[in-house]
Amino acid sequence: MIVAGQKLGHYEIRLKIGEGGMGEVYLAQDTRLDRNVALKILPANVAANTDRMRRFTREAKAAAALNHPNIAHVYEIGEADGVNFIAMEFVDGQTLRELIHVVNPGLAKLLRYLQHAADGLAKAHNNGIVHRDLKPDNIMVTRDGHAKILDFGLAKLIERPFGETNGKTPSNVSTVILQQHSLPGTVLGTVGYMSPEQAQGKTDEIDHRSDIFSFGCILFEAVTGHQPFEGSDVIDTLNKIIREPARPINSFRPDAPAEIQKITRRCLAKDPEDRYQSIKDVAIELRELRRELTSELATTVPPLSSTSTKSQAQNSSVSDVAAASQTHASSAEYIVSEIKQHKFAVTIVTTLILAAVALTIWFPKFKATRASQIDSIAVMPFVNASGSTEIDYLSDGLTESLINSLSQLPQLSVKARSSVFTYRGKEVSPQQLAKDLSVQAILNGRVLQRGDQILLSVELVDARTGNQLWGDQYSRRVTDLLSLQTEIARDVSSKLKSKLTGVEEQKLAKTYTENTEAYQLYLRGKFYWNKRTPIDIRKGVEYFQQAIDKDPTYALAYAGLAEGYILFASYRVELPAEAYPKARAAAMKAIELDPGLAEAHNALASVKSSYEWQFDEAEAEWKKTIELNPNYATAHQWYGEHLIAMGRYNSALTELKRAQELDPLSLIINGILATCYRLNDQTDQALAQLNKTLELDPKFGRTHLFFAEIYQSLGKFEESIDEYGKMFDLMGVPQENTSRFLATVKTAYKTSGPKGYWRAIAESLSHPDPPVPGLGPPPAILAGFWAQAGDADKAFELLEKAFQQRDEGVLRLKSPIYDPIKSDPRYKDLIRRIGLPEN
């Protein structure tokens, strides 16, 4: 008896999840690869039977040969402690039966899942394998919306003659029966989904067309909620399958498309010769039907507007003309009848009619021409289909690499990583993504690693309609990982109808290293760098360094190292004087190896601005960065923050708006944009921007800090105190610390007004036991509080400390929080020593 916690080799049993004719199925943990698997256990009486054991082994080999994203993969066949098993991919999701009868996601989605299943069956049939127990329970739909066929346990292996690839049954084939019973004539399969030849026990006549019949039964049920051959009992159901036609679909669902009835009727033909001869043909027809359905649903949805105001105006004008032309055409007969006695007028009207007709012919072509060119795209986080978190770095890394590659194309707007990764693990419709991200196309991908093989399936989707524009599958060895992302980028670009220049072609083909191991280490470094915690940033830097050790000429790894050290300073991992010099050295090495690397110039610009205070040189570096990659959101963000420090708020607003356009869901960019609105005296826009940021993620603590700062500037101190409390709660500050802080500041404000408010904040945050343990604010921030409290000496003492530490907070001296001390000679002296503009 198998129990939870029991170990079979390197698999640890978790719980029983099912039962089949060939044994029980358990959820287990692969302790070697740290992933969930489904273990199919062979019963002891079967294992003792040599003939059945042989069939069990053959089943595993046949299923393991099926390498397709819509088929649950078999990892291995094994034996431990006298127990024989097959380790298979664990598919976390819902069965198609549950989706049909419980969830009911809608016809378009159900057809999508069935199209996936048909694609998987086509792969099996091409390999000569017939499922023979196809039913809604054997089709799982993953949480990210991909269908996978399970359990080829009743498979019939057909040995195809050389060159037979058209999906039809060869006339001279030898067969090997894989069945659960040794007696010929035994009925195999599940009642309600088996074919007539199965129902009659004609095992010699069963081929891939039997699966097509079963597929038709599932399609019928997905549309109507009923099985096509429902009987009063098993015998009655079998009799209906063999002799009676399926009931019309429209008798259950009058609104069902007629095409559904046609596809289903042909699948359910009693004679295999009258059915589709290839499941691939069914998949193609389902795909076309889905496109028609989604197009009909989208007819009331206006086209996506261009990012260009001029383009919007042109689209609007053409639409108006087209509408007018239809009006003229429909009323032309009336106009002619009214003025036919006026010869000159008739000539004019005739001309108008001809023009209108010509325009109605030309306008769709005009729209089609415009639609063929896609100028905005979101590369969504690739799904890690391997079941192991160890591979997350690979799926994330390939996503980011593809984003960076496509960002090199100046005519294409590519949404930044932080925006698209907001949707990681979520199922969101293309239409919603189009609305949220203002894009015309979505690229989805699934990554599966099996040993040294990487399987990647990608799908380019029209964001407005949800229709697939293009899809492909790539199978490569890990050693070919570098060329894989280049190949995908080139393929995607061609499907976007982008004509590449020679320079752009070179940019897409650039891999930065020939060492696959170094590339994987770099991907791991970016994976941890993006987590943005002190511990993870340290891990990221370690991986960047390991990548450099593998390939000392790897410029991109040096750029990653530079960005890592910059975060060391920002996240207080190291003091600025320790972190920034290392960041500078890494950035300079990256530029030495590759002068055209935007990431390296961005890092160097940050060093020059935040640490070296060489502001003109920093600005030149940022302009160089944006010239190299106009789609680099982080460059626009950091440059915008630099311009804020320079007091050039209008220019900063332009850069930050561009950063937000490229990365619309970035919380920090949205928050800094609100700050810039406030500095531009656009308080209403600032509050609206922060409310939008709060909607994006109510748990982002810094949004409440930005709110507090705005309320301070408006003199709404009680509201600002509440915002500090919300921020501390989201930061995980102990409740007693938060309560003490809020009580102290509220009391001070009631008794001493604004100055008491500022002093209480300054003293609380300077306390040896501050609200946030171990993380007091930088000295320049505290200086602003003391300035507002009226203690200029304390403020300048802290500003001098910030100056000596090269604390980047000192660059914000132009902020209104320092207004009370700006007339002090010490303020002007500090501005001069830092090198900030005096006006």
Side-chain angles (χ1 to χ4, degrees):
M1 179 180 177
I2 305 298
V3 296
Q6 181 177 343
K7 288 191 176 181
L8 296 176
H10 58 278
Y11 299 104
E12 183 175 320
I13 301 296
R14 292 287 188 252
L15 73 156
K16 184 177 177 180
I17 56 176
E19 228 175 310
M22 289 290 279
E24 298 174 332
V25 183
Y26 291 86
L27 173 64
Q29 177 77 5
D30 184 339
T31 57
R32 285 183 184 170
L33 297 178
D34 189 25
R35 64 180 174 186
N36 289 326
V37 300
L39 280 190
K40 186 174 183 180
I41 307 296
L42 187 66
N45 65 323
V46 175
N49 185 307
T50 305
D51 184 54
R52 299 186 78 178
M53 191 62 197
R54 185 176 66 252
R55 290 199 301 274
F56 177 76
T57 303
R58 188 175 294 150
E59 173 196 345
K61 289 181 178 179
L66 299 178
N67 185 357
H68 192 276
N70 298 122
I71 296 176
H73 188 63
V74 171
Y75 297 136
E76 68 165 312
I77 180 170
E79 184 273 333
D81 301 328
V83 177
N84 293 272
F85 59 83
I86 298 178
M88 301 174 290
E89 176 184 357
F90 171 67
V91 183
D92 186 14
Q94 294 175 294
T95 66
L96 188 61
R97 182 177 302 282
E98 291 170 327
L99 289 169
I100 292 172
H101 296 287
V102 179
V103 179
N104 190 18
L107 183 58
K109 280 193 175 182
L110 287 171
L111 292 180
R112 179 174 184 262
Y113 304 147
L114 284 167
Q115 180 197 319
H116 289 173
D119 287 335
L121 269 181
K123 175 68 174 180
H125 291 173
N126 285 340
N127 281 19
I129 299 174
V130 181
H131 193 287
R132 297 214 296 179
D133 193 22
L134 202 62
K135 54 189 175 184
D137 310 82
N138 277 337
I139 299 174
M140 290 287 294
V141 178
T142 64
R143 294 185 184 278
D144 56 344
H146 289 264
K148 287 178 177 282
I149 305 173
L150 309 178
D151 196 4
F152 278 79
L154 294 175
K156 179 178 179 181
L157 184 63
I158 307 295
E159 295 178 0
R160 292 179 296 146
F162 180 77
E164 186 72 49
T165 58
N166 62 2
K168 296 182 180 180
T169 306
S171 57
N172 55 339
V173 297
S174 60
T175 64
V176 180
I177 306 298
L178 295 182
Q179 58 187 51
Q180 295 175 8
H181 307 279
S182 57
L183 295 176
T186 303
V187 176
L188 301 176
T190 300
V191 175
Y193 303 97
M194 59 178 59
S195 65
E197 53 270 31
Q198 282 179 292
Q200 296 175 81
K202 297 178 179 179
T203 55
D204 290 341
E205 297 180 16
I206 295 172
D207 59 24
H208 65 280
R209 293 171 297 183
S210 180
D211 280 350
I212 293 175
F213 187 95
S214 300
F215 187 88
C217 293
I218 299 172
L219 176 58
F220 187 103
E221 187 173 351
V223 178
T224 67
H226 297 270
Q227 293 180 11
F229 305 103
E230 290 175 327
S232 58
D233 53 32
V234 171
I235 300 301
D236 188 31
T237 300
L238 290 174
N239 183 61
K240 282 180 165 59
I241 289 173
I242 296 168
R243 295 179 176 84
E244 297 184 14
R247 290 168 290 179
I249 281 179
N250 58 18
S251 67
F252 294 100
R253 186 167 177 175
D255 64 330
E259 188 68 17
I260 285 276
Q261 178 67 46
K262 189 194 89 171
I263 296 171
T264 308
R265 184 173 59 244
R266 190 172 172 191
C267 286
L268 295 178
K270 303 298 184 187
D271 187 341
E273 292 295 330
D274 294 334
R275 296 174 203 152
Y276 289 98
Q277 299 300 294
S278 167
I279 192 67
K280 190 65 180 177
D281 293 337
V282 183
I284 291 170
E285 294 207 20
L286 286 178
R287 183 180 295 113
E288 290 302 315
L289 178 57
R290 279 183 54 224
R291 286 175 178 168
E292 290 176 14
L293 287 175
T294 51
S295 295
E296 289 173 8
L297 290 172
T299 53
T300 58
V301 181
L304 288 177
S305 58
S306 167
T307 54
S308 163
T309 304
K310 182 179 179 181
S311 296
Q312 289 175 351
Q314 289 173 340
N315 289 343
S316 176
S317 299
V318 173
S319 300
D320 292 343
V321 172
S325 72
Q326 292 174 350
T327 303
H328 285 308
S330 64
S331 58
E333 185 179 344
Y334 167 77
I335 298 173
V336 171
S337 67
E338 286 294 308
I339 60 174
K340 61 167 59 177
Q341 67 252 38
H342 300 286
K343 184 176 179 181
F344 180 68
V346 169
T347 303
I348 294 175
V349 170
T350 303
T351 303
L352 284 173
I353 294 172
L354 290 174
V357 171
L359 187 57
T360 58
I361 295 172
W362 167 80
F363 181 66
K365 293 182 178 179
F366 170 82
K367 289 209 305 183
T369 301
R370 285 187 51 80
S372 66
Q373 178 75 31
I374 293 173
D375 56 22
S376 58
I377 187 172
V379 182
M380 304 310 293
F382 284 7
V383 175
N384 171 14
S386 300
S388 170
T389 55
E390 278 296 306
I391 311 300
D392 281 347
Y393 85 92
L394 186 58
S395 54
D396 288 5
L398 285 173
T399 307
E400 188 167 358
S401 293
L402 196 52
I403 290 172
N404 292 341
S405 293
L406 294 174
S407 294
Q408 304 296 320
L409 306 179
Q411 75 274 24
L412 182 65
S413 173
V414 185
K415 296 307 165 187
R417 181 193 187 281
S418 58
S419 278
V420 298
F421 270 76
T422 303
Y423 298 99
R424 186 179 184 188
K426 301 176 183 177
E427 188 169 341
V428 185
S429 70
Q431 291 85 354
Q432 186 62 48
L433 292 172
K435 178 182 177 182
D436 292 349
L437 300 174
S438 298
V439 291
Q440 295 167 298
I442 306 295
L443 187 72
N444 297 313
R446 293 170 58 80
V447 181
L448 178 64
Q449 183 173 357
R450 297 184 184 132
D452 66 347
Q453 284 289 121
I454 292 176
L455 305 175
L456 179 62
S457 60
V458 293
E459 177 188 48
L460 186 66
V461 177
D462 185 322
R464 182 177 64 87
T465 65
N467 291 341
Q468 185 185 58
L469 301 172
W470 164 77
D472 209 343
Q473 296 174 9
Y474 303 82
S475 178
R476 300 289 187 276
R477 300 179 73 85
V478 173
T479 51
D480 298 324
L481 188 59
L482 286 163
S483 60
L484 175 60
Q485 68 100 4
T486 301
E487 183 179 351
I488 298 170
R490 189 184 294 113
D491 288 351
V492 172
S493 177
S494 69
K495 300 307 174 183
L496 296 174
K497 309 298 183 185
S498 285
K499 186 175 181 181
L500 300 178
T501 65
V503 173
E504 291 167 352
E505 183 79 28
Q506 289 177 3
K507 285 183 176 181
L508 284 184
K510 197 164 189 175
T511 57
Y512 299 100
T513 182
E514 299 299 322
N515 187 312
T516 301
E517 192 174 352
Y519 178 58
Q520 287 182 276
L521 289 166
Y522 170 78
L523 293 183
R524 288 184 184 273
K526 290 296 287 185
F527 176 75
Y528 285 106
W529 185 85
N530 280 306
K531 286 179 176 289
R532 293 296 208 279
T533 69
I535 292 175
D536 288 314
I537 295 167
R538 280 191 181 277
K539 281 186 181 179
V541 164
E542 289 170 4
Y543 279 118
F544 290 138
Q545 186 59 60
Q546 289 177 37
I548 291 167
D549 293 341
K550 293 291 181 182
D551 181 0
T553 65
Y554 196 176
L556 199 57
Y558 279 106
L561 192 64
E563 291 179 327
Y565 283 130
I566 287 171
L567 290 192
F568 268 25
S570 298
Y571 284 78
R572 310 301 248 340
V573 176
E574 290 182 353
L575 290 174
E578 297 171 343
Y580 275 113
K582 289 186 284 191
R584 188 187 207 286
M588 290 300 295
K589 181 63 176 179
I591 292 172
E592 175 190 330
L593 292 167
D594 185 351
L597 187 58
E599 291 88 341
H601 287 281
N602 189 49
L604 183 59
S606 181
V607 173
K608 287 182 174 295
S609 175
S610 299
Y611 181 70
E612 296 178 351
W613 301 344
Q614 297 176 1
F615 303 121
D616 290 342
E617 293 182 19
E619 186 159 346
E621 285 294 335
W622 268 308
K623 288 181 178 179
K624 176 70 172 176
T625 302
I626 293 169
E627 178 186 342
L628 290 168
N629 186 353
N631 291 323
Y632 193 8
T634 302
H636 290 283
Q637 174 199 338
W638 288 6
Y639 183 31
E641 292 182 73
H642 165 82
L643 291 170
I644 287 176
M646 298 298 107
R648 293 157 56 188
Y649 300 140
N650 286 328
S651 298
L653 199 57
T654 300
E655 291 300 324
L656 290 168
K657 283 182 177 178
R658 176 58 178 156
Q660 187 205 34
E661 180 184 335
L662 292 167
D663 200 354
L665 303 185
S666 168
L667 300 171
I668 192 62
I669 288 176
N670 277 281
I672 295 170
L673 178 59
T675 296
C676 197
Y677 277 128
R678 174 174 63 87
L679 294 171
N680 268 295
D681 295 325
Q682 296 173 273
T683 305
D684 290 343
Q685 290 94 323
L687 289 170
Q689 184 63 44
L690 285 181
N691 281 317
K692 176 184 174 183
T693 309
L694 201 60
E695 290 175 7
L696 291 175
D697 186 354
K699 296 181 179 180
F700 185 54
R702 288 194 66 178
T703 304
H704 295 287
L705 175 61
F706 294 135
F707 266 121
E709 290 173 345
I710 288 182
Y711 289 139
Q712 288 168 348
S713 68
L714 295 174
K716 297 182 177 181
F717 295 106
E718 291 182 351
E719 288 91 335
S720 74
I721 294 171
D722 291 338
E723 293 298 330
Y724 274 118
K726 294 174 184 177
M727 178 185 72
F728 289 155
D729 285 341
L730 291 172
M731 290 173 63
V733 173
Q735 186 60 48
E736 61 179 278
N737 289 18
T738 299
S739 298
R740 184 178 67 241
F741 172 84
L742 296 178
T744 300
V745 177
K746 285 180 180 179
T747 300
Y749 176 62
K750 287 180 180 178
T751 58
S752 304
K755 287 189 182 297
Y757 163 90
W758 288 109
R759 178 175 290 275
I761 290 181
E763 289 177 343
S764 294
L765 296 179
S766 304
H767 195 275
D769 183 21
V772 187
L775 287 177
I781 301 297
L782 283 174
F785 298 152
W786 284 112
Q788 288 290 329
D791 193 334
D793 290 341
K794 186 66 175 179
F796 281 112
E797 176 187 336
L798 288 165
L799 286 172
E800 188 62 33
K801 181 179 179 180
F803 176 85
Q804 297 300 328
Q805 289 182 353
R806 310 294 281 194
D807 171 17
E808 62 181 287
V810 80
L811 301 183
R812 297 179 176 84
L813 275 173
K814 291 185 173 290
S815 170
I817 200 170
Y818 298 104
D819 282 354
I821 61 171
K822 286 181 178 177
S823 61
D824 193 300
R826 290 173 290 183
Y827 175 82
K828 293 184 178 180
D829 178 62
L830 192 56
I831 288 284
R832 177 187 57 77
R833 284 188 286 150
I834 294 171
L836 290 169
E838 295 187 10
N839 296 324

